[in-house]
Amino acid sequence: MDNSDNATTITEDGALLAAIDLGSNSFHMVVAKLFQGELTTVDVMSDKVQLAAGMNGDKMLGEEAIERGLNCLRRFAQRISAIPRSAIKIVGTNALREAHNSSAFATQAEKILGVPLEIIAGREEARLIYLGVSHTLADVAGARLVVDIGGGSTEFIIGERFEPLETESLDMGCVSFTQRFFNDGKMNATNFRRAEFAAKQELLSIRERYRQVGWSSSVGASGSIKAIRNACVEGGFTDNEEITPKSLAKLKDKFLSFDTVSDLDIPGIKQERLAILPAGLAILTALFESLGVKSMGFSTGALREGLLYDMAGRLQHEDVRERSISALCQRYHVDLTHAQRVEHTAMILLAQVKSAWELDSPEYHDLLAWAARTHEAGLTIAHSQFHKHSAYLVQHSDLAGFTSSEQQLLGFLVRAHRRKFPKDEYKLLPDNRQEAMKRLCVLLRLGVILNRSRDDVRLPALSLQVDDKDMQLTFPEGWFPQHPLTEADLEQEQDYLKHIDINLSVS
């Protein structure tokens, strides 16, 4: 996203950024100042909301869990009330991915914070975690394994410096495993054995691939691994504050010396964390054995810090989404020369109507540009219905940096760039985005029509004027007789647009 206006204000004035991570166990917020390219933490807030613990067997969040979460967000909202909404990012992870009623929670959260809640995919969560960890640790050579045990999922990343090479999110977490294997509250070897076996089963999907890629160091992130590390240090099970297989075994023996989970008593670790720590220990023990980890350090950086650095990168024009779009275009052999022609034309049209059509946001500029670049990706599959194939690829590929809602919007624009306007897909868009997406769609359609010849001949000076639902597209006098195909395509387009209450006049 080209946030050039915001970037000037933030980098010159040292204004604030805020990142909010709605995890399955805890909600976290970090406020930081970006000045001359450096982020400095100003404030940190967190709350053990235990959202995943409040989910029933039908994958529905209970009213009490929802209210705990909303009360936490009300406190967060007061702290960030003076920060511009464009400088705030809020994401939800596994519990909100899994819950069938997450959209209802998201609607209430957005009203409280005034910022859209993005529920991110597991691999995007892994990418952001790696970003947070890599910016927190020393920049050393060699591959690094990063592990983050959350409440409902565990993320695994292998990367070098600031670039993730492998990202994966597995369906196991300290809250979900507590409910599955320690729900009776007993601290015994049977419960541990069952939890470790289940974790190893999950790890089978990545074990060989990750071992083959390899790493020279490993790092843990977030609360569960921090608590395990601290418990090992407190018990004298490690000499250098790193977690090892031997220290995990000693910590497990210590845990098994207690009869119940509620009896656990580890200095420096709060009771609410201790309640889910046996499950976290079982997962960590399983991954050490499955992946052959010899030792693991700890990083204070995690998802929320990754969000901050991702926001800072976008403000300084280092947007990973640009790379994701470029990679997708290369993967599906997009004709980049033609795509750039379409993008250029669409941008000219956008510049003429963005004020009248309320499309001034940099987000709309980026969505239109990305849609123009990817609208022909589906030709790799088949020419027939290629706009539908393109939309599917855009919406369902793993695109680093994109949220699922962004991919939905982008996929819609690509789907709607030709033929009949897809009204069913349009109705699935958020209500507050529909009108803007319809207008962007019209600009993309015109960009495609005006470049159908796929040649390098420059288009004439075009004039596009709009007044709500009325559009006037004007060409230089005498141009149409030399371009009968364009004239016929625009006549057809007038009929298509009438069905969505847009009146296009051409002269």
Side-chain angles (χ1 to χ4, degrees):
M1 215 175 276
D2 181 14
N3 287 334
S4 53
D5 293 340
N6 291 336
T8 301
T9 301
I10 290 172
T11 54
E12 289 183 358
D13 298 339
L16 300 178
L17 303 177
I20 302 174
D21 157 23
L22 307 187
S24 300
N25 186 48
S26 302
F27 285 8
H28 299 274
M29 180 175 73
V30 58
V31 179
K33 179 179 290 186
L34 176 65
F35 186 70
Q36 296 183 347
E38 295 292 329
L39 278 169
T40 303
T41 300
V42 174
D43 201 359
V44 175
M45 297 177 65
S46 64
D47 194 354
K48 293 287 191 299
V49 172
Q50 296 185 310
L51 205 60
M55 193 186 309
N56 63 25
D58 295 324
K59 299 289 186 180
M60 299 290 287
L61 294 173
E63 289 298 324
E64 290 185 4
I66 289 175
E67 196 56 35
R68 288 196 302 271
L70 297 178
N71 284 337
C72 173
L73 295 184
R74 292 183 182 102
R75 294 189 289 274
F76 286 0
Q78 181 182 343
R79 174 61 185 85
I80 60 175
S81 59
I83 300 177
R85 301 301 92 177
S86 60
I88 302 170
K89 187 80 170 178
I90 174 172
V91 300
T93 58
N94 186 263
L96 290 173
R97 286 196 292 267
E98 295 290 321
H100 296 318
N101 58 340
S102 59
S103 59
F105 177 86
T107 299
Q108 296 182 72
E110 290 170 11
K111 288 180 180 178
I112 292 170
L113 295 165
V115 180
L117 165 57
E118 302 286 359
I119 300 173
I120 57 176
R123 285 186 171 174
E124 174 64 4
E125 181 181 355
R127 183 189 73 85
L128 291 168
I129 289 167
Y130 183 80
L131 193 60
V133 169
S134 60
H135 276 87
T136 305
L137 297 175
D139 183 12
V140 296
R144 173 186 286 149
L145 170 68
V146 174
V147 177
D148 187 316
I149 301 175
S153 64
T154 298
E155 280 63 52
F156 300 82
I157 313 97
I158 298 176
E160 290 189 24
R161 303 194 67 193
F162 302 108
E163 292 296 325
L165 305 175
E166 297 282 345
T167 58
E168 193 59 77
S169 178
L170 299 185
D171 189 20
M172 57 184 184
C174 54
V175 174
S176 59
F177 266 40
T178 296
Q179 294 172 328
R180 287 176 61 185
F181 304 110
F182 297 92
N183 199 37
D184 59 5
K186 294 180 179 179
M187 190 65 65
N188 57 49
T190 300
N191 288 349
F192 264 106
R193 187 164 52 250
R194 292 171 58 235
E196 289 172 13
F197 180 77
K200 289 176 183 178
Q201 290 293 107
E202 286 288 333
L203 284 156
L204 284 174
S205 63
I206 69 168
R207 185 180 66 183
E208 295 306 318
R209 174 163 52 97
Y210 270 56
R211 281 186 172 229
Q212 184 174 6
V213 173
W215 56 87
S216 56
S217 63
S218 61
V219 182
S222 292
S224 289
I225 294 181
K226 178 182 178 180
I228 291 171
R229 192 276 305 264
N230 290 348
C232 289
V233 171
E234 182 66 31
F237 306 145
T238 180
D239 297 326
N240 56 6
E241 296 196 354
E242 288 204 337
I243 303 170
T244 64
K246 184 178 293 185
S247 65
L248 289 177
K250 289 181 177 179
L251 184 60
K252 178 179 173 180
D253 289 340
K254 181 177 178 64
F255 276 21
L256 289 173
S257 68
F258 296 92
D259 292 328
T260 66
V261 174
S262 60
D263 291 334
L264 283 175
D265 184 16
I266 307 291
I269 301 178
K270 296 179 180 179
Q271 189 58 46
E272 59 263 32
R273 174 64 65 181
L274 283 172
I276 58 175
L277 205 56
L281 177 59
I283 292 171
L284 193 59
T285 299
L287 75 87
F288 261 64
E289 183 176 334
S290 293
L291 300 182
V293 177
K294 304 301 182 184
S295 66
M296 178 175 287
F298 178 74
S299 167
T300 56
L303 174 58
R304 49 205 172 275
E305 287 78 18
L307 280 170
L308 284 176
Y309 282 103
D310 195 54
M311 292 166 67
R314 295 183 188 189
L315 292 170
Q316 298 174 39
H317 313 292
E318 299 171 358
D319 194 339
V320 68
R321 294 174 300 175
E322 289 286 347
R323 283 183 288 167
S324 294
I325 292 296
S326 295
L328 183 137
C329 290
Q330 292 176 5
R331 188 181 310 130
Y332 297 110
H333 312 292
V334 169
D335 181 343
L336 294 178
T337 301
H338 177 65
Q340 288 167 0
R341 291 191 201 102
V342 173
E343 178 183 354
H344 179 68
T345 303
M347 290 301 109
I348 290 174
L349 299 176
L350 175 64
Q352 296 182 48
V353 304
K354 63 182 182 180
S355 295
W357 262 3
E358 299 180 343
L359 298 175
D360 295 284
S361 170
E363 175 188 20
Y364 297 138
H365 174 283
D366 290 341
L367 284 171
L368 182 57
W370 292 329
R373 289 180 220 168
T374 59
H375 75 281
E376 289 190 336
L379 284 172
T380 281
I381 298 174
H383 182 273
S384 176
Q385 306 289 313
F386 77 84
H387 53 303
K388 296 181 181 179
H389 303 320
S390 298
Y392 183 88
L393 294 174
V394 166
Q395 186 166 350
H396 297 287
S397 295
D398 283 326
L399 298 180
F402 283 89
T403 64
S404 57
S405 60
E406 286 173 333
Q407 289 187 235
Q408 180 192 22
L409 297 176
L410 184 57
F412 170 78
L413 291 178
V414 171
R415 166 68 177 84
H417 88 265
R418 67 193 289 261
R419 303 286 178 86
K420 293 181 180 179
F421 187 83
K423 292 185 177 181
D424 290 340
E425 288 88 340
Y426 180 70
K427 293 176 183 177
L428 296 176
L429 299 178
D431 292 343
N432 61 349
R433 297 300 192 107
Q434 289 183 355
E435 191 63 30
M437 289 303 104
K438 180 196 293 186
R439 291 170 171 176
L440 289 176
C441 166
V442 172
L443 299 179
L444 178 61
R445 292 171 71 96
L446 291 176
V448 171
I449 289 171
L450 295 172
N451 290 279
R452 187 174 179 184
S453 295
R454 307 179 81 94
D455 58 36
D456 292 325
V457 178
R458 290 177 62 87
L459 289 171
L462 305 172
S463 172
L464 179 61
Q465 295 179 313
V466 297
D467 181 11
D468 193 19
K469 298 180 180 180
D470 296 320
M471 303 178 64
Q472 177 65 49
L473 182 61
T474 305
F475 293 82
E477 186 176 353
W479 188 83
F480 266 132
Q482 303 299 320
H483 300 84
L485 175 61
T486 304
E487 184 176 22
D489 284 345
L490 287 171
E491 288 177 357
Q492 175 66 69
E493 185 66 10
Q494 288 173 318
D495 290 335
Y496 283 137
L497 296 185
K498 284 180 183 177
H499 288 88
I500 56 173
D501 298 321
I502 291 181
N503 302 310
L504 173 63
S505 299
V506 181
S507 60

